[in-house]
Amino acid sequence: MKYILPALGVAALAAASVAAQDISAPPSYGSITLDSGYLPDPHSVQIRAGGAVPVTVDGNGVCRGNIASAPDFNVYYTAGSFDLFFSAMSQTDTTIVVNDARGNWYCDDDGGEGAFNPGVRIERPASGLYNVWVGTYSSSGGTPPATLFISEIGFGPRPMASGSGLDYTLPANYGGQTLQTGFIPDPVNIEIAAGGNVDVEATGIDDMCWGYASAAPDYELTYEAGNTFDLYLSATSDSDTVIIVNGPDGQWACNDDGSTGLNPGLMFENPQSGVYDIWVGTYSSGAGTPPATLHISELGFGPEGTDTDDVYEDYEGAGSSAELDFSLPANYGGQSLQSGFIPDPVDIQIAAGGDIDVSSTSIGDMCWGYTTAAPDYELTYQAGNSFDLYLSATSDRDTVIIVNGPDGSWWCNDDGAEGLNPGLTFENPQSGVYDIWVGTYSSAAGTPPATLHISEIGYGGTPVPDVNLLDYTLNANYGSTSLTSGFVPDPYNVQIAAGGDVDVRENGPDGCWGYATAAPDFELTYEASDAFDLFVSATSDTDTVLIVNAPDGSWWCNDDGAEGLNPGIEFSNPDSGVYDIWVGTYSSSAGTPPATLHISELAFGDN
């Protein structure tokens, strides 16, 4: 939401600057929604700086340079306890211009990281929309490549090792993964080759860092911390090895023999969430690149496995019986899905089973099988009015499914799907959190591989064909915007190319037709009021169609609802939320003709 300060100078400034810097134009390089405390920090965007428009605002800081009319990037920001930093880096002298959520303008030339890089710091930022431009200082600067950084920590990227040393921006030699506290199995073990050609001591990253490693990290861990566990990173090898870590806060940590013998280990107490770039080096330059195993654990150093009895005691208290505990972090993470989600089903590969006899727990009168204390998966679901919710699992073993629903009720099933596979149907499902366990029917089954299926169509793993389906999870072709009821100017217009390769009648929502792209053409985030209806329409010299996925997950389609062959959809008493919009062609032979999308609270078209 854009808030304009009541002060006359700011209001007049915003009005005067529309001809040059157009805050209502779709951003050239897209947008993002960030909540305070976001990770990774900074968020970086590759752009082209500069443009043909001289900066005309007189804001906070040094305002000069040449920019594009449309913003380069938009940030929808939810404020917390941090300041907000916008900066840029380039081989050319650049400037930065920011219009903040209150309508204030900020500008800078050389206040960022480095000699000619700009930076703007906004103290006590408001929640809302931030428009950002990166310009060139000189009108002859062209449009050089640049990187825009959005941070709550400071200007520019995280600090790197000095000299030509360790570089966490390089792809990790052995990949990486995301782990959430409470992960199973614990430890996670990664086979690597230690060592490299970089003399770590010579890089100067820390007085206590030494050894020989590669320039790129060996592994990149994205970790979601909790309040229960410390984080242990260690390595084992037949050679003398060292471990080096660059943590989420940009700080370096190193160790030689902190684990057993000559094996290194680092413990992070009260660890931060974020990215841990990890190197396993050799102590000696003559050691070559010996085989080693990197261990990631919340229990201790080295390759020892999880003692599940001890873990349950930690969670439940000594002497108490084990229970299923939906407050624990899910073993395999979770996600949020909105009714109408694509692809359907969503499939999650897990290991079923565990050490808890469900029949001996407090829910044992209705449920049975063997599971872990923590749920296997956590689904946050936004229900619509059209679909039931199906939760099921498939495996080569006899499995069970147990669900704690949004209202706290427990649901269990053994063979409700095909064969020995379990399945639960939630008719008229509630919105909220569904904690899901996939157990084994027998304690002797161990922890066999299984697939959890989340669907609005049916049980099992038969997907909806995903070729050429309209997919609102894709980035919109022509960007996005946020509008609050009463917005001006009205209509809000977006120039697009209509049409695409998707035959909507065959591969789209029921009752819709035409030809469109898989990705939406535009994404509108709309804050409704009781005062206005919402009109979405398009005009073109070609016969076009309109397709909209509304905030409640419902699909809306129209061919000639506006004037002539132009489509239009009126939303009476519209919902607040995201409207994904496609403008298609009625005929496959129409190609991709130019069209204008109109968003209005007054009428269809450009009236």
Side-chain angles (χ1 to χ4, degrees), residues 557-576:
C557 310
N558 183 264
D559 179 17
D560 301 328
E563 183 176 355
L565 297 178
N566 294 312
I569 298 172
E570 178 181 357
F571 295 89
S572 299
N573 300 314
D575 292 330
S576 295

Side-chain angles (χ1 to χ4, degrees), residues 177-190 295-299 303-308 311 330-332 349-351 372 376 447:
Q177 66 179 302
T178 299
L179 294 175
Q180 185 181 34
T181 186
F183 57 84
I184 295 175
D186 183 329
V188 172
N189 300 318
I190 303 100
H295 309 285
I296 303 170
S297 176
E298 294 180 316
L299 304 174
E304 291 78 12
T306 303
D307 184 341
T308 55
V311 173
N331 299 326
Y332 298 93
Q349 305 301 316
I350 67 171
T372 59
D376 290 308
T447 54

Side-chain angles (χ1 to χ4, degrees), residues 45 92 208 235 245 430 587:
V45 186
T92 304
M208 296 300 294
V245 177
Q430 296 175 307
S587 168

Side-chain angles (χ1 to χ4, degrees), residues 20 34 74 121 240 270 316 339 425 430 484 518 541 590:
L34 297 174
N74 281 350
R121 177 177 181 174
D240 189 0
N270 301 315
E316 303 295 338
S339 183
T425 302
Q430 296 175 307
T484 300
D541 292 335

Side-chain angles (χ1 to χ4, degrees), residues 328-340:
L328 296 177
N331 299 326
Y332 298 93
Q335 65 179 303
S336 295
L337 294 175
Q338 184 182 35
S339 183

Side-chain angles (χ1 to χ4, degrees), residues 14 29 63-64 92 95 149-150 172 195 210 254 265 316 341 369 371 396 466 494 502 513 540 563 595 597:
Y29 296 93
C63 293
R64 61 186 66 179
T92 304
T95 64
F149 299 98
I150 304 115
W210 52 88
C254 311
E316 303 295 338
F341 57 84
T371 69
D396 292 336
D466 59 2
V494 185
V502 176
W513 54 92
S540 175
E563 183 176 355
L597 170 66

Side-chain angles (χ1 to χ4, degrees), residues 37 40 98 214 229 231 236 244-245 254 282 350 352 417 464 472 474 510 516 590:
V98 179
S214 65
F229 296 109
L231 178 64
T236 52
I244 304 153
V245 177
C254 311
T282 56
I350 67 171
V464 176
Y472 54 74
L474 298 176
D510 291 341

Side-chain angles (χ1 to χ4, degrees), residues 145-440:
T147 304
L148 169 66
F149 299 98
I150 304 115
S151 175
E152 295 179 316
I153 298 172
F155 295 133
R158 286 192 297 165
M160 291 172 51
S162 61
S164 58
L166 310 186
D167 185 352
Y168 53 75
T169 68
L170 296 175
N173 299 324
Y174 298 92
Q177 66 179 302
T178 299
L179 294 175
Q180 185 181 34
T181 186
F183 57 84
I184 295 175
D186 183 329
V188 172
N189 300 318
I190 303 100
E191 302 299 325
I192 66 171
N197 297 319
V198 175
D199 182 347
V200 177
E201 187 174 11
T203 66
I205 59 175
D206 191 282
D207 292 341
M208 296 300 294
C209 292
W210 52 88
Y212 296 84
S214 65
D218 290 307
Y219 204 71
E220 184 172 277
L221 166 65
T222 302
Y223 178 65
E224 185 176 335
N227 299 317
T228 307
F229 296 109
D230 297 330
L231 178 64
Y232 297 81
L233 303 177
S234 61
T236 52
S237 175
D238 291 336
S239 298
D240 189 0
T241 52
V242 299
I243 193 166
I244 304 153
V245 177
N246 185 264
D249 59 358
Q251 299 299 308
W252 294 88
C254 311
N255 182 263
D256 178 17
D257 300 328
S259 183
T260 57
L262 298 178
N263 294 310
L266 288 167
M267 180 181 73
F268 294 85
E269 296 182 356
N270 301 315
Q272 295 177 305
S273 295
V275 175
Y276 292 76
D277 289 293
I278 307 167
W279 289 256
V280 179
T282 56
Y283 185 83
S284 168
S285 62
T289 54
T293 305
L294 170 65
H295 309 285
I296 303 170
S297 176
E298 294 180 316
L299 304 174
F301 293 135
E304 291 78 12
T306 303
D307 184 341
T308 55
D309 291 337
D310 289 343
V311 173
Y312 295 147
E313 282 190 4
D314 288 341
Y315 285 136
E316 303 295 338
S320 65
S321 61
E323 292 283 346
L324 305 193
D325 187 350
F326 53 76
S327 70
L328 296 177
N331 299 326
Y332 298 93
Q335 65 179 303
S336 295
L337 294 175
Q338 184 182 35
S339 183
F341 57 84
I342 296 174
D344 183 328
V346 172
D347 298 327
I348 303 99
Q349 305 301 316
I350 67 171
D355 294 333
I356 292 183
D357 181 353
V358 179
S359 65
S360 67
T361 68
S362 60
I363 64 170
D365 289 343
M366 65 183 83
C367 299
W368 51 92
Y370 294 84
T371 69
T372 59
D376 290 308
Y377 204 71
E378 184 172 277
L379 166 66
T380 302
Y381 178 65
Q382 183 175 338
N385 299 318
S386 303
F387 299 105
D388 295 334
L389 178 63
Y390 298 84
L391 302 178
S392 61
T394 52
S395 176
D396 292 336
R397 308 288 179 89
D398 190 0
T399 51
V400 300
I401 193 166
I402 302 165
V403 176
N404 184 263
D407 60 359
S409 60
W410 290 93
W411 300 72
C412 312
N413 183 263
D414 178 17
D415 301 327
E418 185 177 354
L420 297 178
N421 294 310
L424 288 167
T425 302
F426 294 85
E427 298 180 354
N428 301 314
Q430 296 175 307
S431 295
V433 175
Y434 292 75
D435 288 292
I436 308 167
W437 289 256
V438 178
T440 55

